[in-house]
Amino acid sequence: MRGGWHRARARRRLGFAACGAALAALAGVLQFWWWNAAVAGVLISAIGAFVSIVALVADILRGDGDPPPRSATEDRRRAADALAEAVRDQWAAEARLRRLQDPMPIEVRWAQADRRLADHPENIRRAQPLPAPRDAETDDFTGSFATLPGRRLVVLGGPGSGKSVLTMRFVLGRLAARPPGGPVPVIVPLAGWDPRRTGLRAWLADRLADDYPPLAAAADGRRTLARALLDAGLVLPVLDGFDELPRPAYGEAVRRVNAELDDDLPLLLTSRAEAWATAVAEGDVLTAAEVVELRPLDLAQAGAHLERTARPLHTADGGRVTVWTPVLRELDRRPESAPARALTTPLMVALARAVYSDTSGNPAELLDTKRFPTVASVEEHLLGGFVPAAFADSGPRATGDAVRRLTLLARALQRRDTGRLAWWELESLLPRALRVYAPGLLALAVLSALVLPLMAVRVVSGTAGAQDVLSVCATLFGQTLGFAFGASWLLPTDGDLPGKRFVLRQTLLTAAVSAALWAAFAYTDDLRFGFRYGTVTDGWVPDLLGGCLFSLLFTLFFGIAGLPRRPVPLSLPWSGTAGRAVARACGAALLLGGACAAGTVLFGRSRDPWTALIGTTCMGVGTALLVSGTHQAGQDGAHAPRVGRVLRRFAAGVVRGTAAALLIGVTACTAAGVTAVGVTELKSGTPAELSGRRIDGWRFAVRNGVRTATSTRPLRGMLLIPGDGARPIAYPGRGEPPDCTIPLLHGRKCRPFTSQKTVFEAEEGVVVVRLALAGGPGTVAYAANLRSELPRQARGWLTQGPALGLLIRCLPPFAAGGVLIGLVGGCVCGVYRALSVPSDLMRATGPGSSLRTDRTASFTRGGVVALLVALVCVPVMALPGDWGGLSHVGTQLWLPLGAAALALSAWGRFTVARIWLAATGRLPWRLMTFLEEAHRRGVLRRSGASFEFRHLRLQSHLANGWSGDDRFRAVARTGSPSDTWPREVRDGHG
């Protein structure tokens, strides 16, 4: 047996160390001896990215060897074991927070219900003798269920009778006795099931896949893993809250359940007695199911529990009493009083303990018959006092804030008719308009943080003016509009890969919207001189429309990749020690390369802004990769990607995305080009004849069919020389265009010019400008950017020509842009499909864990998208000739696309919601900390990566307003305790 450097892990680490050392040495060589610092910085970043990609691909292809083949049965058993672990962790933690063992749980008794609500005894026991009716305690419940041959049981009870705690203890008891590979009890709230439309098995499979996303994986060609577990009898559904179904659906629900029951599907169902009686009367009994009913607590049981959980007090004679002792004695004498009848349910006993036993409150106030004349008034008082009591030790103001915030959340859940509070769904708390603009606002913030500092530097250095700043701001604002429309209309409703119908619909929709935007662009700008990307526009409106169009296309790319309209948490595909080691190595390489590139700008060896942006992006991606490979967010997924799966997903995404994006891009751009030309022709009209006239220092003439406009006034500007023999592009003023220099393109440069004589020449509508440069030879340049120097009426006269000629001049750049859109869209789709796997919410240690995982994955995907798009655009920018300014498009795509990947993620939506809710004072900035605090204090409970209120009645009470004691309403309203509070609580010591 070999060890040391012969081990695979050691060889891998040695290889990574060698690559890192070589990259560091190369960085030093290029940094100090390369002739162009900007090119050196970009080369370092590019080599770092290349090394990272090669290492990742090599690791994927090599793997650790294919795992031994497993049967479908073994896969299902492994999935069931993972599910059992997640369910056990979830409900064991909940039992601790509810203090079920502190000092001991309330024992709820149960007995057989009315026999008319159950099936025939022979069907239930299947020829086994039916035991005589008797009372039993909760501890006997799991054993009693196991003795039922059909393993089907219906538990009836009123609100707060202990059904939820019973199901929790039942699940934990079954899991404790469960053998490996056995059935897993899972609590599934029935609220949300419509039995008139959906079968039980189909709904259960969807709900399991929703609550435990790893179960959404495909088990075979036709079923999800959740459905396979159900069909194999490896899930024991605990259907909680039958009474929460719509009243008209009761009978149909029972019939649906009976129609889908078989010997392999055990079942436990809870309901209120009235709802179940209605279901039996209108539908049927539950086949082979025993029906039991929870018995109310007697006052002795409730009193014993309250006495045991209260703080002991010593009397003068040395005896031990509690604050409950005199109250319980009085209730013994008044068993029909409202407090005595209210304390017959476990929920009210638990609330009474929280309000009085765990604080300095005095339960003697419950004996006031004027304040509490009915059972409902006592229950509302205890429900209203629970949250203030839970937060009593945090101070009056914090208590009031907690009540107000939890009320807001309860009302939001009530409006959505759900009990699940998931961080990625908090976007629903935003106003509709802000919810629509959320992705665009985050993208605006990210891009502004990167672009505006560079713009400020350009303004200070004199290379950019006020018009440049206005243009950039208009473009950024236009992108928020495009994201708003795209997120609402161009993303699929679910996360499945879009089909042909979706692609066809998006093609038509994008073509229509693009045509409308370009019609507005052509109306507000002047395209008679031809069209080229990066041309100086007439005002800020065309820049706004251009930003809107591009961000709309960015959203479309992710829609083709399958990003849903309402994103869910996602993770990265690598898991295990080896996968995280590769992520760390790639991250280190990118971080080093990015730091070297950014250093060339920071230390003055380069003034190229693109070098700084590329270096910053590489550093961001490298940091995200290091974090994803260093901090294991929760446990590794139960179904880690197999060898080559990531690469295959990337290749499939690229092929599919390129095909769809090419179709949509070419169609939309062609429609946009034709529309823009049509609008330009319509608004042009018949120009005035200017031949032989002089206007504002310009002399107009026609000779041999060539129209000329000549001026001898000095004209100063900036000349962009693309290189490779392409025609120079002239810009007015001394400001430099943003793509003046591009790393790796040596022939591209800008230089100022002063023209002693400027001549616009036009033939059949094709216009060029001849510049007689001072101190040098003349040059022929692209004329559109200098049209602002001409009189208004001269533009139409010079560009007069056939409409077909204008179409020929304008359409090629549009078509080329459509092809570039296809290539970029394919890359985006490939990255998203390869680097997006469902976050393992089933094994998440909590909502905060899934939030951190999605945040890291979002930054990683956004950075990789930006870098890959930049790499794809390099050959486009290096093409000989100008190609309608495609090089300008290439420099403008990669950074916004990375920001789009971040803004459209679940974390991005949550960030906008968090900022708005904190800014308006509705929820705290440290929102997850507050929710965890409410969970720790027993107000909320955790369900995987989500929160729920401890009891549906508590959520309903908070959502429907305060109808209990005035002192609790005062705290919720003002944050200060009223005078009726005990002094200790008023002073913050309770």
Side-chain angles (χ1 to χ4, degrees):
M1 179 176 179
R2 294 185 174 186
W5 297 114
H6 296 285
R7 295 166 53 195
R9 180 181 298 179
R11 291 198 304 271
R12 179 180 299 178
R13 289 180 176 177
L14 179 62
F16 286 150
C19 289
L23 186 61
L26 180 61
V29 171
L30 293 176
Q31 179 73 20
F32 293 104
W33 283 285
W34 191 266
W35 64 276
N36 189 311
V39 174
V42 174
L43 281 175
I44 293 169
S45 298
I47 295 171
F50 178 76
V51 170
S52 301
I53 294 173
V54 169
L56 181 60
V57 171
D59 186 76
I60 290 173
L61 293 176
R62 186 196 65 81
D64 293 317
D66 287 320
R70 295 196 302 262
S71 65
T73 302
E74 179 64 20
D75 284 339
R76 287 194 295 269
R77 290 182 178 276
R78 285 175 176 263
D81 290 341
L83 177 61
E85 181 183 350
V87 173
R88 181 185 297 109
D89 292 344
Q90 172 186 345
W91 293 111
E94 189 62 33
R96 289 192 296 271
L97 282 173
R98 292 199 182 194
R99 303 168 66 180
L100 294 186
Q101 304 297 330
D102 180 18
M104 60 184 300
I106 304 174
E107 293 300 340
V108 180
R109 297 182 179 273
W110 53 273
Q112 287 181 345
D114 188 340
R115 298 309 308 164
R116 292 172 294 181
L117 302 180
D119 200 3
H120 299 292
E122 296 81 4
N123 294 339
I124 299 173
R125 290 290 171 173
R126 300 185 182 180
Q128 297 183 15
L130 191 67
R134 65 182 179 86
D135 283 353
E137 294 185 349
T138 309
D139 287 342
D140 302 327
F141 191 77
T142 303
S144 300
F145 180 86
T147 62
L148 295 174
R151 294 182 299 163
R152 294 171 194 148
L153 185 63
V154 178
V155 180
L156 305 180
S161 59
K163 298 187 298 295
S164 298
V165 173
L166 182 141
T167 56
M168 186 193 311
R169 296 180 62 187
F170 169 78
V171 166
L172 293 174
R174 291 285 298 179
L175 288 173
R178 172 187 177 271
V184 183
V186 181
I187 299 176
V188 184
L190 276 174
W193 177 38
D194 187 353
R196 294 166 292 188
R197 297 184 179 182
T198 311
L200 177 65
R201 285 180 182 266
W203 178 79
L204 279 175
D206 290 342
R207 182 61 192 255
L208 287 172
D210 186 39
D211 291 344
Y212 306 100
L215 298 184
D220 49 40
R222 56 187 178 86
R223 297 183 302 175
T224 63
L225 191 54
R227 184 59 183 263
L229 294 181
L230 282 169
D231 293 342
L234 291 176
V235 173
L236 193 165
V238 180
L239 305 180
D240 190 21
F242 180 88
D243 51 276
E244 295 176 20
L245 294 174
R247 166 64 179 77
Y250 285 171
E252 180 62 26
V254 178
R255 287 191 290 268
R256 279 276 195 177
V257 174
N258 283 335
E260 300 191 32
L261 284 178
D262 54 37
D263 290 338
D264 295 327
L265 184 63
L267 190 69
L268 174 66
L269 185 146
T270 69
S271 175
R272 296 185 184 181
E274 302 83 10
W276 187 250
T278 302
V280 171
E282 298 179 356
D284 196 0
V285 297
L286 189 59
T287 302
E290 179 65 280
V291 181
V292 300
E293 188 169 10
L294 301 181
R295 304 290 295 272
L297 298 175
D298 56 42
L299 192 57
Q301 282 181 284
H305 182 77
L306 291 173
E307 288 272 28
R308 285 197 303 267
T309 57
R311 299 172 185 174
L313 302 175
H314 297 281
T315 62
D317 58 1
R320 293 169 62 90
V321 296
T322 69
V323 292
W324 283 102
T325 303
V327 177
L328 294 173
R329 288 174 183 167
E330 182 64 23
L331 294 180
D332 281 336
R333 292 193 293 268
R334 297 159 48 188
E336 296 303 318
S337 62
R341 287 182 291 149
L343 294 177
T344 57
T345 62
L347 174 61
M348 291 301 137
V349 173
L351 293 179
R353 172 188 176 179
V355 173
Y356 295 112
S357 299
D358 295 340
T359 67
S360 300
N362 186 359
E365 64 184 358
L366 296 176
L367 301 176
D368 188 343
T369 56
K370 293 182 179 180
R371 290 176 59 193
F372 308 110
T374 63
V375 173
S377 63
V378 176
E379 292 177 346
E380 287 297 309
H381 169 76
L382 294 177
L383 286 167
F386 174 64
V387 176
F391 284 86
D393 62 349
S394 61
R397 184 168 299 278
T399 300
D401 289 341
V403 173
R404 177 174 51 82
R405 293 161 179 170
L406 290 169
T407 300
L408 169 70
L409 295 174
R411 288 174 178 169
L413 296 180
Q414 201 85 339
R415 284 195 301 268
R416 294 174 51 225
D417 193 23
T418 183
R420 187 179 73 171
L421 177 62
W423 61 263
W424 59 93
E425 294 173 346
L426 285 173
E427 184 188 17
S428 62
L429 293 176
L430 299 178
R432 178 171 178 78
L434 183 58
R435 190 161 62 244
V436 170
Y437 279 101
L441 291 175
L442 183 60
L444 175 66
V446 173
L447 289 175
S448 299
L450 293 173
V451 174
L452 292 185
L454 294 178
M455 179 58 66
V457 171
R458 292 186 62 206
V459 171
V460 172
S461 63
T463 58
Q467 289 298 323
D468 298 308
V469 176
L470 183 61
S471 174
V472 169
C473 293
T475 302
L476 292 176
F477 181 73
Q479 288 182 3
T480 65
L481 302 177
F483 277 122
F485 180 87
S488 300
W489 295 97
L490 298 182
L491 297 179
T493 55
D494 52 34
D496 297 332
L497 275 175
K500 295 180 180 178
R501 180 176 298 180
F502 174 84
V503 174
L504 178 60
R505 172 183 173 274
Q506 302 309 80
T507 301
L508 298 177
L509 181 60
T510 307
V513 175
S514 299
L517 288 173
W518 274 105
F521 188 100
Y523 184 79
T524 56
D525 201 24
D526 193 344
L527 300 182
R528 290 173 294 184
F529 284 76
F531 174 73
R532 177 188 178 277
Y533 295 105
T535 300
V536 176
T537 56
D538 291 340
W540 57 269
V541 176
D543 295 315
L544 184 146
L545 295 172
C548 180
L549 177 64
F550 275 109
S551 59
L552 185 146
L553 294 174
F554 299 159
T555 311
L556 177 65
F557 296 158
F558 291 97
I560 296 172
L563 176 70
R565 197 168 297 172
R566 295 183 177 177
V568 297
L570 295 173
S571 183
L572 294 169
W574 43 81
S575 62
T577 304
R580 289 194 295 273
V582 173
R584 290 195 298 270
C586 295
L590 283 173
L591 186 60
L592 177 61
C596 292
T600 61
V601 178
L602 184 63
F603 293 107
R605 292 180 57 83
S606 169
R607 296 179 56 193
D608 192 344
W610 299 109
T611 302
L613 283 177
I614 292 174
T616 303
T617 305
C618 286
M619 291 172 64
V621 181
T623 302
L625 284 171
L626 281 174
V627 171
S628 68
T630 303
H631 299 289
Q632 183 178 353
Q635 301 178 11
D636 289 328
H639 304 281
R642 294 185 178 179
V643 177
R645 179 172 175 80
V646 175
L647 190 61
R648 289 195 299 270
R649 284 171 61 90
F650 175 76
V654 167
V655 172
R656 179 186 179 87
T658 302
L662 272 176
L663 172 65
I664 297 174
V666 173
T667 303
C669 287
T670 302
V674 172
T675 303
V677 170
V679 171
T680 300
E681 281 294 316
L682 288 175
K683 78 168 191 175
S684 295
T686 303
E689 180 57 47
L690 301 182
S691 179
R693 298 177 57 184
R694 289 177 177 270
I695 303 176
D696 296 337
W698 290 89
R699 185 177 70 255
F700 300 95
V702 178
R703 182 177 299 174
N704 299 326
V706 178
R707 299 168 183 261
T708 61
T710 306
S711 174
T712 56
R713 290 183 306 182
L715 175 65
R716 294 177 176 82
M718 187 68 64
L719 205 61
L720 170 60
I721 302 174
D724 296 319
R727 178 176 293 171
I729 299 100
Y731 290 85
R734 291 300 187 184
E736 292 184 358
D739 55 347
C740 188
T741 58
I742 299 177
L744 306 181
L745 301 184
H746 306 305
R748 189 181 184 90
K749 59 183 178 179
C750 285
R751 61 184 179 89
F753 72 86
T754 300
S755 174
Q756 303 297 337
K757 181 180 181 181
T758 305
V759 180
F760 283 88
E761 294 183 355
E763 185 174 6
E764 296 295 330
V766 181
V767 184
V768 296
V769 61
R770 295 184 180 275
L771 303 173
L773 303 182
T779 185
V780 178
Y782 181 73
N785 292 335
L786 296 180
R787 65 183 184 271
S788 59
E789 302 294 328
L790 290 167
R792 275 281 178 183
Q793 59 268 43
R795 299 186 188 184
W797 182 78
L798 281 172
T799 57
Q800 188 174 3
L804 181 61
L806 179 62
L807 181 66
I808 293 174
R809 294 196 300 275
C810 291
L811 199 56
F814 281 94
V819 174
L820 181 61
I821 287 171
L823 297 176
V824 171
C827 293
V828 172
C829 189
V831 170
Y832 182 83
R833 297 303 301 176
L835 298 185
S836 299
V837 296
S839 185
D840 196 353
L841 304 182
M842 191 167 75
R843 294 184 172 195
T845 57
S849 171
S850 65
L851 175 61
R852 289 188 295 271
T853 299
D854 187 76
R855 178 179 59 200
T856 301
S858 299
F859 274 99
T860 302
R861 276 192 302 273
V864 172
V865 163
L867 290 180
L868 191 58
V869 170
L871 290 176
V872 169
C873 290
V874 165
V876 175
M877 293 185 291
L879 287 174
D882 187 50
W883 287 85
L886 270 190
S887 59
H888 175 81
V889 179
T891 62
Q892 303 299 316
L893 281 180
W894 62 282
L895 201 57
L897 270 170
L902 194 64
L904 294 171
S905 65
W907 177 83
R909 308 287 186 92
F910 167 78
T911 300
V912 176
R914 177 188 180 189
I915 293 173
W916 185 83
L917 291 170
T920 56
R922 305 178 72 187
L923 290 174
W925 170 250
R926 302 185 66 182
L927 177 56
M928 299 305 295
T929 302
F930 169 72
L931 295 177
E932 289 288 353
E933 178 70 9
H935 170 247
R936 186 182 66 82
R937 294 176 181 272
V939 179
L940 301 177
R941 67 185 183 190
R942 270 201 312 227
S943 178
S946 307
F947 289 105
E948 296 173 348
F949 277 91
R950 174 175 177 172
H951 197 279
L952 188 60
R953 285 200 64 186
L954 177 61
Q955 175 184 320
S956 178
H957 174 84
L958 290 170
N960 295 328
W962 291 83
S963 57
D965 198 304
D966 288 340
R967 67 181 186 179
F968 300 132
R969 291 202 302 271
V971 170
R973 183 173 59 253
T974 67
S976 301
S978 69
D979 293 338
T980 57
W981 282 86
R983 181 178 58 81
E984 295 86 352
V985 178
R986 292 202 308 270
D987 295 340
H989 304 298

